[in-house]
Amino acid sequence: MIRLNEKKDCCGCGGCSNACPVHCIQMKADAEGFLYPEVDETTCIDCGLCERVCPVLRAGEDVPFSQAAYLLQYKNEKVRRQSTSGGAFTAIARYVLDRGGIVYGAAFDDRLRVHHTSAVSPKGLQIFRNSKYVQSDTEKTFTQVRDHLRTGRLVCYSGTPCQIEGLLSFLEPAGTEGSREELLDRLVTVDVVCHAVPSPLVWERYLEMQREKLGTEIADAKFRDKHFGYNYSTMTLLDDSGEERYVQGIDTDQMLRAFFSNICDRPSCYDCAFKKRYRKSDFTIWDCYPVYAFDKKLDDDRGTSRVLIHSDKGRRIFEEVRQRCRVLEVEPDRLTAGVREMFHSVDSNPRREEFFEDAACMEARTFFNKYFPMTARVKLERTARIVCYRTGVYALAKRAARKILKKD
Ligand SMILES: Cc1cc2nc3c(=O)[nH]c(=O)nc-3n(C[C@H](O)[C@H](O)[C@H](O)COP(=O)(O)OP(=O)(O)OC[C@H]3O[C@@H](n4cnc5c(N)ncnc54)[C@H](O)[C@@H]3O)c2cc1C
Ligand code: SF4
Ligand code: SF4
Ligand code: SF4
C-alpha cells in the first residue's frame, strides 16, 4: 500500500487512485490545496498495485537516445494567437483528431478550477490552449484513456512530465487485453518543459480577490495572453460577455509574480524526479523566445514552440504534423542548450511556509498585497515595459537583456 514519508514523494498524478482494483484510494486536498492519496486501510487488499504504478517510486535516470528537434509555428494565426507559444500542441492534437481519436489536456471547469478533460473536435481544443500555471487534477482520465485504447481508439494525452510518466506507469499492467505494445502504439503523449505547478488554493484565493476588485464574475482566464505580444505575455481575465476586464504582465500581476517567485509550488516540484531531457513521452514542447538566434525568417512576436521528439512513433507523426506548420529542424543539443527548467528543479522561496499559513486565513487582497505589493519600483517597471512595447522596441530590449544575462 502506498505510504508517503514526505510530501515531496508524491507529484499528485492520481495514478495510484486510478489503479486501485478495490477503489480504496481517494485523492484529497491538503491544507495547501494539493491533492494526495488517502487510503481506506479497512478495504485495502494489499495487492501492491498502487506502489507498482507510482512514477515517483519508478523514476529513472536521464539515459541518452536518438532524438529529433524542431522549431514550430502553427500556420493558422488565430490558433497561434490563442496558444502559449507556437501552437505545437494543437498541431499534434489535430493529427489525432483527424484520425477519429480523442485528445486530453488541462482546461478550466465552470468554476475555473484546472482539471484534465477531453475533446473530440478541432473546436474543442480551444479549452486546452494557454498554459494554466496551477496544478491540474487528472481525475479519472487515466482510466478513461486505458478504456479508449482497449477499444482501439487513438488517444493524445498532454500534461506535465510527471503526469505523463504517471499515465505510462499506470498503463503498464493494462496490456493484459491485447499486447502492451499495440496498446501504447495508439497513444500519443505530449509533455511540457515544466517550471513547477502552483497550488489550486492560491489560484482560488487570487480569483476571490479579482472578483471583488473587478466587481464581476470571471468567466475565463489566460495566464499567457499575447495581448502585448509573445515577448511580454499577460494575465488576462474576461467576463461572461467575453470582454477583457483585466490585463497585467508578469511584473505586476500577483498570481504570475507568485508563480515566478517559487513561493506556492507543489513540494515535489522543488525536488522534481522528472527534470530530464530523455523522456518517455513522444513529444516535449516548450517556449522559444530567442527565435532570432536560430532563424531570421521565423523571427516574429507571435510565438514559437520548441519540439523535442523522443520516439520513432513521434517522428512518424511529425511528418504529418509539419504540413500545417512552418518548421525548422535543429540539432537537439542546440535546442536544449541552456534550458534550465528542463534539467533543474526550482529553489523553494524562504517565505513559502509563512505564505501558505497566511493563504489559509487572511483576507485575499491583504494577503496578496503582503507578499506582492505594488511598490513604486514595480509600477516603474510596468511603465517602462509598456513604453518599450508601444514604441516597438520591447523585443529588442528583451533581446539585449538576454544577451547581457548570457541566456542565448
Ligand atoms: C505548469 C507549466 C509550466 C511550464 N513551464 C515552462 C517553462 O518553465 N519553460 C518553458 O519554456 N515552457 C514552459 N511551459 C510550456 C509552455 O508554457 C507551453 O505549454 C508550451 O510552449 C507549448 O505551447 P503551445 O503553443 O503548443 O501550447 P498550448 O496550445 O497553449 O497548449 C498548452 C498545453 O499545455 C497543457 N497544459 C496547460 N496547462 C496545464 C497544466 N496546468 N497542467 C498540465 N498541462 C497543462 C495543455 O494540456 C496543452 O497541452 C510550461 C507549461 C505549463 C503548463
Ligand atoms: S495495495 Fe492494492 S488495494 Fe491496497 S490501496 Fe494499493 S492498490 Fe488499493
Ligand atoms: S505520485 Fe501519483 S501514483 Fe505516486 S502516490 Fe502520488 S498520486 Fe499516487
Ligand atoms: S516540476 Fe516536476 S513534479 Fe512539479 S509538476 Fe512539473 S514535472 Fe511535476
Side-chain angles (χ1 to χ4, degrees):
M1 177 182 46
I2 204 98
R3 284 186 209 281
L4 300 174
N5 293 327
E6 291 182 73
K7 291 249 157 120
K8 73 175 182 61
D9 296 339
C10 171
C11 65
C13 71
C16 53
S17 168
N18 276 262
C20 178
V22 293
H23 310 290
C24 71
I25 308 181
Q26 303 284 322
M27 297 300 288
K28 293 259 172 73
D30 71 352
E32 296 180 346
F34 292 111
L35 296 173
Y36 291 90
E38 208 172 274
V39 183
D40 175 1
E41 295 191 23
T42 59
T43 50
C44 168
I45 55 171
D46 222 6
C47 68
L49 199 55
C50 48
E51 286 167 275
R52 287 218 303 279
V53 303
C54 177
V56 176
L57 292 175
R58 301 176 50 141
E61 296 296 303
D62 203 4
V63 182
F65 51 74
S66 161
Q67 296 175 312
Y70 295 88
L71 296 188
L72 179 152
Q73 293 176 346
Y74 200 67
K75 280 184 193 161
N76 179 323
E77 291 300 336
K78 194 172 160 211
V79 168
R80 188 152 71 115
R81 167 70 170 80
Q82 291 169 353
S83 305
T84 313
S85 55
F89 162 70
T90 298
I92 298 163
R94 283 299 304 263
Y95 169 91
V96 170
L97 293 182
D98 288 350
R99 287 155 185 80
I102 182 164
V103 175
Y104 284 82
F108 292 121
D109 70 6
D110 55 4
R111 289 173 55 197
L112 291 186
R113 289 174 304 203
V114 183
H115 72 146
H116 263 65
T117 185
S118 60
V120 291
S121 69
K123 213 169 166 225
L125 294 179
Q126 193 173 330
I127 57 171
F128 303 131
R129 289 189 200 120
N130 221 273
S131 296
K132 291 109 194 139
Y133 293 144
V134 181
Q135 183 157 40
S136 174
D137 181 355
T138 60
E139 299 178 350
K140 291 293 173 210
T141 54
F142 289 7
T143 308
Q144 292 167 17
V145 168
R146 182 191 61 197
D147 295 347
H148 286 305
L149 293 173
R150 281 179 173 167
T151 64
R153 198 162 185 191
L154 195 60
V155 179
C156 172
Y157 198 96
S158 63
T160 57
C162 57
Q163 288 169 337
I164 299 303
E165 287 218 18
L167 171 66
L168 292 170
S169 259
F170 164 80
L171 288 174
E172 209 150 278
T176 42
E177 292 170 30
S179 81
R180 183 173 186 274
E181 285 69 33
E182 272 179 39
L183 198 89
L184 290 184
D185 210 36
R186 295 191 284 274
L187 176 67
V188 181
T189 49
V190 183
D191 62 18
V192 291
V193 162
C194 178
H195 179 88
V197 285
S199 148
L201 170 75
V202 172
W203 174 232
E204 202 180 301
R205 304 285 349 249
Y206 172 83
L207 287 173
E208 188 185 320
M209 172 185 75
Q210 292 291 22
R211 274 188 212 106
E212 194 206 299
K213 270 173 130 172
L214 300 171
T216 178
E217 273 306 309
I218 297 162
D220 199 6
K222 293 174 189 161
F223 283 73
R224 290 278 308 274
D225 191 21
K226 294 170 182 167
H227 182 92
F228 292 122
Y230 177 56
N231 277 290
Y232 179 30
S233 56
T234 57
M235 170 73 87
T236 299
L237 304 176
L238 299 100
D239 64 19
D240 49 17
S241 61
E243 198 185 321
E244 287 182 0
R245 298 296 298 263
Y246 169 95
V247 180
Q248 294 284 327
I250 50 161
D251 41 1
T252 43
D253 176 73
Q254 290 166 312
M255 186 70 205
L256 293 177
R257 286 170 73 190
F259 176 60
F260 288 107
S261 64
N262 309 326
I263 204 166
C264 57
D265 301 323
R266 189 174 177 99
S268 57
C269 300
Y270 301 111
D271 189 13
C272 174
F274 309 97
K275 296 267 182 186
K276 55 188 177 184
R277 169 172 159 181
Y278 299 94
R279 302 191 181 188
K280 294 182 184 171
S281 58
D282 297 304
F283 299 95
T284 296
I285 57 177
W286 74 104
D287 282 289
C288 184
Y289 293 111
V291 63
Y292 50 85
F294 290 91
D295 185 67
K296 296 270 182 296
K297 285 198 290 298
L298 291 180
D299 186 14
D300 66 20
D301 194 23
R302 293 198 288 272
T304 303
S305 303
R306 298 191 213 209
V307 182
L308 188 60
I309 307 177
H310 306 287
S311 63
D312 289 341
K313 187 202 326 169
R315 280 193 176 87
R316 273 198 318 273
I317 292 172
F318 196 77
E319 285 311 306
E320 301 290 327
V321 165
R322 63 184 296 162
Q323 310 299 327
R324 286 196 167 99
C325 312
R326 283 181 290 278
V327 300
L328 175 76
E329 184 161 15
V330 287
E331 276 299 310
D333 285 351
R334 184 152 180 239
L335 196 81
T336 54
V339 182
R340 201 187 139 72
E341 305 86 3
M342 176 174 261
F343 301 101
H344 301 286
S345 299
V346 294
D347 293 325
S348 182
N349 188 305
R351 298 181 78 192
R352 186 182 183 282
E353 205 174 314
E354 182 194 350
F355 181 82
F356 274 106
E357 277 168 18
D358 289 342
C361 60
M362 276 174 88
E363 189 271 323
R365 197 191 293 215
T366 318
F367 164 61
F368 280 100
N369 286 344
K370 173 173 172 185
Y371 292 90
F372 304 106
M374 281 296 275
T375 57
R377 186 165 171 238
V378 171
K379 284 182 190 156
L380 190 70
E381 196 184 326
R382 176 178 159 75
T383 310
R385 281 187 195 246
I386 291 182
V387 168
C388 285
Y389 169 74
R390 296 226 161 102
T391 52
V393 299
Y394 190 83
L396 287 174
K398 189 166 174 182
R399 201 173 291 190
R402 289 183 69 91
K403 266 225 159 81
I404 292 163
L405 296 170
K406 293 195 169 51
K407 281 193 169 178
D408 299 338

